Amino acid sequence: MTPLTPDAPVRLASAHGHRSYRTIAEALRDAADGDEIRIAPGRYEESLRLAGQVTLTAAAVAGEGAGPAGGPPPGAGVTLAAPAADRPALEVLPGARPTLRGVTVHGAAADRPAVLLAGGATDWTGGGVRQGRLEVRGDAALRMAGAVLSGAALAGVLLRTTGAVRLTGCLVADTAGTGLVAGGTTRVELVRTEIRAAAGSGVRVREDARAVLRGCLIDRPGRSGLLTEDRAAALLTDCRIRDTGGEAVRALGSSPLPDPDPAETTDTGHATNTAGATETTGATGGVVLHGCELIGAAADAIGVTGPAQLRATASTLRDCAGSGVAAGDGARVLLAAVTVARAGASALGAHGSAQLAAREVTVRDAAANGLLATGTAAVDLTDSELTGCRYSAVHLGERTRATLIRVRAGGTPEHGVHAVGEAALTLTDTRLADCGMSGLDVAGAARAEATGLAVTRCVNGVTAGSDGPLRLTDCEVTDAERAGITLGPGDTEMSGGRILRPGTAGLVFATGATARVTDTEIREAAGSGLVVAGEAAPRARGVRIIRPGKNGLILDGGAAGVFEDVEIVRPGFPAVHLAERAAPELRRILVRDAAEDLSAEPGARPGVEDCVSVRVKSARWPAPETAERTPRGLPEGLPAGPGPGQTPPSEGAAGPQEAVAAEESLEDLLGELDRLVGLARVKQDVASLVKLMRTVQRRESAGLAAPPLSRHLVFAGNPGTGKTTVARLYGRILAAVGLLERGHLVEADRSSLVGEYVGHTGPKTQRVFQEAMGGVLFIDEAYSLAPAHGGGGNDFAQEAIATLVKLMEDHRDSVVVIVAGYPTEMEHFIDSNPGLSSRFNRTLMFEDYDTEELLRIVERHAASHQYDLTDAARATLTGYFELLPRDGRFGNGRSARQVFQAMTERQAYRVSEIENPSESELMTLSELDVPELPEPPR
């Protein structure tokens, strides 16, 4: 065979033999269908129009020949360059069926087509397109493999054809525009193809086009990774989209998703098949992602708006600057087995009239909410987990509708689930844990139904201040830091519930509450079991209250309601306490093992019927065998009020307040303060304040002018350092020295003071302040009322501060205000308003507990719960606290309490393996019970 030469670099191989030519165009004129044109490596400035079934092969592929004189050396490939800007270098005409092997086409201008496929069917392997786009139009079909397309403007590949287009193992790079655009009715499939560094979007699918991407990479586009519009459809399987300048996937429009197979649909109406449309050969409708990774988007990982519909399954979305999934007005989004990690905004968002259904979704470490719904959005969330969110794990606002089934949420400084506005919420078998506010909070006019809800280790268990209906069935609240459940004035029913070990009250009926509660158990409340605020009139039947730290049932002045078939066992205070003007109906109340069954203040008018007492030291009600119907009014001989040391307890801002007994001595209170673990500086500061106050009193008694004395304080310190405990003692101390009338504590935060609409904040702040009259108003996280970074802030919050400052001035001798929070933030808060800085001129610093103090806290918890620590356990605990990260998750005394709780749980599991454990084994906590250190956040 004659070799290719500089004078004849092109050879035509046909059935009639071989002929050599100087140009490719000359060989094409003589070529017949089925012929092959072999081309020596080099650059050919020609514009070719292919009309038949011919093959163009770079000779370097077959190992033949040398390039033209002055051309590139052998193996450098064949480059076809357009000689003029007004024509593409290569054009395939209708009906043609060319094959290209190792041919690279170089266009004359980046913003014009370098290759135009106007029809026919082209098979192209190797080579590619440079400077100029690949354009496929008409009915043209293309099959391209192993090609590189780079340096185009506007679009690297432009498809508007009725033919099939398939790119396998190709690279589309450095496009000054969109990498690939598919329009019309195009059907395009990309397999193991990469689209890199497009200045615009990576892939844009519009009109009625369909795109399938399998095992592809879209890397560093300037805008979206995938953009769909109009009635388009896209299917991505096992693809990666990373470091996008906008959304990783942005769907502004799409065709409808195909209906799921009825056999693969759950009772909620959503498909459970993780493959779904991904098992079909093409994109049948909507935008479908399966097995994909969307990483590092500069906006939302997935943004769906307008009439677009999207399904994502078995995929991971992480490290985006916006939301993981944002469904806008009119959108429909289905998620299954999707993980959203470290979203820069809310992990899942549904807005406007969007529909969002998610199953087996995992959300971790969102910078805002785990799920945020606004407008009239409808959300179904099933078998999913949302943890580590900076805001509430689930927030529902406006007129949204949400159904949560078997959802686990928590590890947030705010609420687990928060419903406001006119939202409608249904919870089934949902678990909420470790929330810095309430596990479930229902406010505004929101309505909620919860069945099988479990709330664990939240500051408040369930808080319901909504005017809308609330139904709680078989719900359980465990280890709430404050009240277990607080019910407001709405239409509320609760049945079959359990409240275990709340830090204050078990169940609080707030002002105006008319809730109906049945078949509920309250165990080991640190405060009272049932607390009824003034003007509340609930109905409670079949309630069992076991070992409350204070009263079993306490009613504030003006409270009423019906309480029947209630059992109160081993209360710390009188089983039932009635404040002045309380007028409840007490029917069939059974009190066991108490010091006193009933105490009441003057003016209380209960109706008592068939109430009995068993093993009560000072019983006003008869034993069961002698019980008779008691007429309305107080039993004969009932004292006018509670005895010494048995006053109504404080249950927070919404409930009755604690009147400190005048018999409490200052020495006893200072001794109680001194027995607290740590807090050396705080104890010294309080002692100094007491001395100063006594001096002021002596001067006043002697008729001398009293020096200026501000009793208001700033408590600055990290969470869990005992600020609330000391505030409560401070109030009692002021009462003991005669500077406060009662010394009770009312706790408040931003939500207690700031209203939700114009005209709401002032009365709300005044009501809380009024409840604190004669005592201490303790405002936790007070810095949340101040605008951040010196901005204008929330006008309602500013109104709350202004109202508070005026009330402090008007009642400066009647109320002490303590504001608390992180040290730096509290400095900013005090500086935010001149009225605050003039009234809060003394700060008590609450330092973090050291290792020895944390160990002592655990030891005290153990002793109070009848456990013994071994020496080995103490040594292991010392090492544990030494290594425990002192980061944002460290809770000081709260962390020590959690460690103790974890030890008791581990000990319980360990002892359960012993067939007949001894009393010593049941009481002993060993080094085996110390938990492992928590893993650091990723």
Side-chain angles (χ1 to χ4, degrees):
M1 182 181 295
T2 305
L4 297 173
T5 66
D7 293 329
V10 179
R11 176 183 296 120
L12 171 62
S14 68
H16 305 290
H18 296 78
R19 282 174 288 175
S20 298
Y21 298 89
R22 294 181 57 82
T23 67
I24 303 172
E26 291 173 352
L28 280 173
R29 283 194 294 270
D30 293 342
D33 286 350
D35 288 354
E36 179 183 16
I37 298 174
R38 296 187 177 182
I39 309 165
R43 181 181 176 90
Y44 298 83
E45 295 191 0
E46 302 185 50
S47 292
L48 303 180
R49 307 184 78 197
L50 306 183
Q53 186 175 346
V54 65
T55 299
L56 302 182
T57 302
V61 174
E64 293 184 28
V78 171
T79 298
L80 178 64
D86 59 346
R87 292 188 59 188
L90 176 65
E91 185 175 356
V92 176
L93 302 179
R97 301 184 63 83
T99 300
L100 286 76
R101 299 285 184 267
V103 176
T104 296
V105 177
H106 196 289
D111 61 350
R112 300 182 63 83
V115 176
L116 174 60
L117 308 184
T122 301
D123 188 337
W124 192 335
T125 303
V129 181
R130 295 179 183 172
Q131 189 172 305
R133 66 179 173 270
L134 166 63
E135 187 168 327
V136 185
R137 302 172 58 184
D139 64 350
L142 170 65
R143 188 168 59 186
M144 176 177 275
V148 177
L149 302 93
S150 64
L154 303 181
V157 179
L158 178 60
L159 308 175
R160 192 179 183 85
T161 177
T162 59
V165 178
R166 179 184 175 99
L167 275 62
T168 304
C170 295
L171 171 63
V172 181
D174 302 318
T175 306
T178 306
L180 182 147
V181 179
T185 58
T186 298
R187 302 293 186 267
V188 58
E189 182 175 10
L190 308 180
V191 180
R192 299 185 304 281
T193 290
E194 298 182 9
I195 299 177
R196 294 180 178 270
S201 297
V203 175
R204 181 183 181 188
V205 190
R206 58 193 305 265
E207 298 171 326
D208 294 294
R210 302 287 188 265
V212 176
L213 285 72
R214 304 184 190 277
C216 296
L217 169 65
I218 301 176
D219 185 35
R220 292 175 289 119
R223 295 183 180 176
S224 303
L226 169 68
L227 172 64
T228 67
E229 300 171 283
D230 307 316
R231 300 160 302 281
L235 167 64
L236 281 68
T237 61
D238 301 320
C239 293
R240 286 184 297 158
I241 302 177
R242 66 189 185 195
D243 298 333
T244 57
E247 298 88 346
V249 174
R250 186 183 188 193
L252 299 178
S254 78
S255 57
L257 285 167
D259 291 331
D261 186 338
E264 297 170 342
T265 303
T266 69
D267 55 5
T268 60
H270 302 299
T272 58
N273 176 21
T274 56
T278 62
E279 295 303 320
T280 65
T281 57
T284 57
V287 181
V288 178
L289 287 73
H290 178 71
C292 295
E293 288 186 339
L294 313 183
I295 305 167
D300 302 326
I302 296 176
V304 187
T305 56
Q309 299 188 10
L310 177 143
R311 176 186 289 124
T313 59
S315 297
T316 299
L317 324 176
R318 59 181 172 89
D319 299 314
C320 58
S323 294
V325 177
D329 198 31
R332 180 179 176 223
V333 176
L334 308 179
L335 307 174
V338 170
T339 297
V340 183
R342 297 184 295 280
S346 295
L348 306 176
H351 311 286
S353 59
Q355 300 177 52
L356 172 63
R359 175 179 290 276
E360 297 178 13
V361 169
T362 301
V363 169
R364 297 194 185 98
D365 303 324
N369 303 105
L371 166 64
L372 172 65
T374 61
T376 59
V379 178
D380 289 338
L381 191 62
T382 305
D383 294 323
S384 297
E385 182 176 357
L386 301 87
T387 58
C389 306
R390 188 168 296 179
Y391 299 165
S392 297
V394 176
H395 180 93
L396 311 173
E398 299 181 68
R399 290 180 290 126
T400 54
R401 294 177 291 110
T403 299
L404 277 61
I405 301 174
R406 295 184 298 278
V407 171
R408 285 168 171 75
T412 167
E414 295 193 356
H415 303 293
V417 177
H418 191 205
V420 297
E422 299 177 39
L425 168 66
T426 301
L427 295 166
T428 303
D429 296 334
T430 289
R431 303 289 183 265
L432 308 174
D434 302 307
C435 302
M437 293 182 178
S438 299
L440 169 63
D441 182 73
V442 185
R447 57 188 187 274
E449 294 185 12
T451 302
L453 171 68
V455 181
T456 306
R457 296 185 304 277
C458 298
V459 171
N460 295 296
V462 176
T463 50
S466 169
D467 296 329
L470 172 67
R471 301 292 181 266
L472 301 174
T473 305
D474 297 329
C475 298
E476 182 173 288
V477 175
T478 305
D479 295 324
E481 184 176 324
R482 297 179 185 171
I485 297 178
T486 301
L487 303 179
D491 175 16
T492 303
E493 291 185 6
M494 175 179 169
S495 63
R498 298 181 75 216
I499 303 173
L500 308 177
R501 300 181 297 278
T504 56
L507 177 55
V508 176
F509 299 100
T511 302
T514 58
R516 300 171 297 283
V517 176
T518 58
D519 302 325
T520 295
E521 182 177 290
I522 303 171
R523 283 185 173 269
E524 300 178 8
S528 297
L530 291 179
V531 177
V532 187
E535 311 309 320
R539 297 184 67 95
R541 178 174 54 82
V543 178
R544 194 161 188 256
I545 305 168
I546 312 298
R547 293 189 296 277
K550 296 183 179 179
N551 305 103
L553 168 62
I554 178 171
L555 283 85
D556 201 0
V562 178
F563 305 87
E564 52 189 359
D565 300 312
V566 174
E567 182 179 3
I568 303 172
V569 180
R570 294 180 61 186
F573 283 12
V576 178
H577 177 80
L578 309 178
E580 184 180 4
R581 296 182 299 106
E585 294 289 338
L586 305 177
R587 302 171 184 167
R588 299 180 298 282
I589 308 295
L590 171 61
V591 178
R592 297 178 184 271
D593 303 311
E596 190 175 355
D597 50 12
L598 176 64
S599 68
E601 296 178 8
R605 297 297 298 169
V608 180
E609 180 180 330
D610 299 332
C611 296
V612 296
S613 297
V614 177
R615 293 186 296 276
V616 174
K617 293 180 181 179
S618 179
R620 306 301 172 182
W621 293 333
E625 60 274 10
T626 61
E628 297 179 357
R629 181 182 178 90
T630 306
R632 181 173 184 84
L634 297 179
E636 185 179 354
L638 186 68
Q646 296 181 333
T647 54
S650 169
E651 303 296 351
Q657 307 306 320
E658 180 177 9
V660 177
E663 286 77 8
E664 285 191 311
S665 71
L666 179 61
E667 289 71 21
D668 290 342
L669 292 171
L670 291 175
E672 187 175 340
L673 175 66
D674 190 59
R675 287 191 294 274
L676 296 178
V677 174
L679 306 177
R681 288 179 57 186
V682 171
K683 295 172 184 176
Q684 181 178 351
D685 289 343
V686 171
S688 299
L689 279 170
V690 170
K691 292 178 182 178
L692 176 60
M693 292 171 192
R694 281 182 155 175
T695 301
V696 169
Q697 286 180 315
R698 289 172 184 149
R699 286 181 60 86
E700 289 177 336
S701 300
L704 300 174
L709 174 64
S710 175
R711 298 174 296 176
H712 309 302
L713 298 175
V714 178
F715 282 8
N718 291 324
T721 48
K723 296 187 291 294
T724 305
T725 300
V726 173
R728 185 172 285 109
L729 269 171
Y730 184 63
R732 293 162 63 193
I733 288 170
L734 293 181
V737 297
L739 291 177
L740 282 177
E741 181 182 353
R742 297 172 62 192
H744 65 288
L745 183 79
V746 172
E747 297 181 54
D749 55 19
R750 178 189 172 92
S751 64
S752 307
L753 304 172
V754 179
E756 300 177 3
Y757 50 84
V758 174
H760 190 204
T761 295
K764 196 171 184 180
T765 302
Q766 289 172 3
R767 184 166 56 251
V768 173
F769 195 92
Q770 185 65 35
E771 291 171 352
M773 292 292 285
V776 174
L777 175 59
F778 180 78
I779 305 175
D780 200 8
E781 297 180 352
Y783 51 80
S784 63
L785 298 172
H789 310 299
N794 184 309
D795 289 338
F796 295 164
Q798 291 299 296
E799 182 184 350
I801 292 177
T803 303
L804 188 65
V805 169
K806 185 178 186 306
L807 290 169
M808 291 170 65
E809 179 62 27
D810 294 344
H811 305 280
R812 54 182 175 269
D813 295 327
S814 301
V815 175
V816 168
V817 179
I818 298 176
V819 291
Y822 295 104
T824 302
E825 285 82 348
M826 291 308 298
E827 288 182 12
H828 168 68
F829 169 69
I830 298 302
D831 292 341
S832 69
N833 186 295
L836 294 176
S837 57
S838 65
R839 285 164 179 80
F840 293 99
N841 52 27
R842 186 183 296 271
T843 298
L844 270 61
M845 294 298 302
F846 287 71
E847 299 177 346
D848 288 344
Y849 292 114
D850 60 24
T851 296
E852 181 181 349
E853 291 166 344
L854 293 171
L855 179 60
R856 286 170 58 197
I857 293 173
V858 173
E859 289 176 330
R860 288 197 177 184
H861 280 298
S864 66
H865 290 82
Q866 295 182 300
Y867 284 97
D868 294 326
L869 288 171
T870 65
D871 290 341
R874 290 184 178 86
T876 305
L877 268 176
T878 299
Y880 176 93
F881 287 130
E882 287 287 349
L883 297 175
L884 184 65
R886 304 299 172 98
D887 54 15
R889 297 185 297 172
F890 177 62
N892 281 290
R894 189 178 307 146
S895 293
R897 186 188 71 185
Q898 291 168 349
V899 169
F900 168 69
Q901 181 177 336
M903 291 180 69
T904 61
E905 292 173 357
R906 292 165 67 97
Q907 188 253 19
Y909 287 124
R910 178 171 56 81
V911 173
S912 66
E913 301 296 326
I914 303 173
E915 185 172 352
N916 292 306
S918 65
E919 180 177 323
S920 175
E921 289 171 325
L922 291 170
M923 296 176 60
T924 300
L925 296 175
S926 74
E927 71 277 9
L928 300 175
D929 303 321
V930 178
E932 294 81 13
L933 284 167
E935 294 185 3
R938 296 181 180 179

